[in-house]
Amino acid sequence: MNSKSQHYSGHRIRIKERFLKSQQGSFSERELLEMMLFLSIPRKDVKPTAKLLISSFRNIAGIVNASRDKLSLNKDITKSTIINILRLKEVLDRILHGQIIQK
């Protein structure tokens, strides 16, 4: 295992552990996005992809609300990542819809 791959796996472990110990709201949008990207981008440094998404769409809300077409314009955004983002949007829409119905 080279030092670069050790860095990536160590980073994932560290960020997950820090998240479990952190106060709600204490993580940056980039760090939260990195953790989301862990699901769709295995064994690769996701920090550059997280930075690219935030620079392209401003924040997590912009990313989640981006169209499939806009997300796929960048060759660094994989199909798996697009599916992960669209899945999150669907979950959030259902939660919000449920909250509106209850009120």
Side-chain angles (χ1 to χ4, degrees):
M1 186 181 283
N2 66 38
S3 63
K4 228 175 171 89
S5 64
Q6 289 175 348
H7 166 74
Y8 299 156
S9 63
H11 175 68
R12 287 177 183 229
I13 292 167
R14 285 189 303 274
I15 202 167
K16 288 175 184 178
E17 289 298 319
R18 213 173 84 233
F19 181 76
L20 288 174
K21 295 175 184 174
S22 70
Q23 297 285 329
Q24 185 177 0
S26 65
F27 259 49
S28 70
E29 292 215 349
R30 183 193 45 82
E31 291 170 316
L32 289 171
L33 184 56
E34 280 186 58
M35 288 180 52
M36 283 176 40
L37 293 172
F38 292 166
L39 299 171
S40 56
I41 306 173
R43 297 176 301 277
K44 184 179 172 196
D45 184 7
V46 297
K47 192 181 286 187
T49 305
K51 287 179 177 181
L52 172 69
L53 282 165
I54 288 176
S55 72
S56 298
F57 299 102
R58 295 191 61 206
N59 53 35
I60 290 178
I63 296 164
V64 170
N65 287 311
S67 70
R68 180 176 308 167
D69 293 336
K70 284 191 178 185
L71 289 169
S72 63
L73 286 176
N74 191 301
K75 65 177 178 56
D76 293 329
I77 308 303
T78 65
K79 183 177 180 181
S80 184
T81 299
I82 293 170
I83 290 168
N84 197 22
I85 292 167
L86 296 174
R87 181 181 56 208
L88 176 61
K89 171 135 177 72
E90 181 75 19
V91 168
L92 292 172
D93 285 348
R94 288 180 188 208
I95 290 168
L96 293 173
H97 179 74
Q99 289 175 341
I100 290 169
I101 297 295
Q102 287 178 356
K103 289 184 180 187

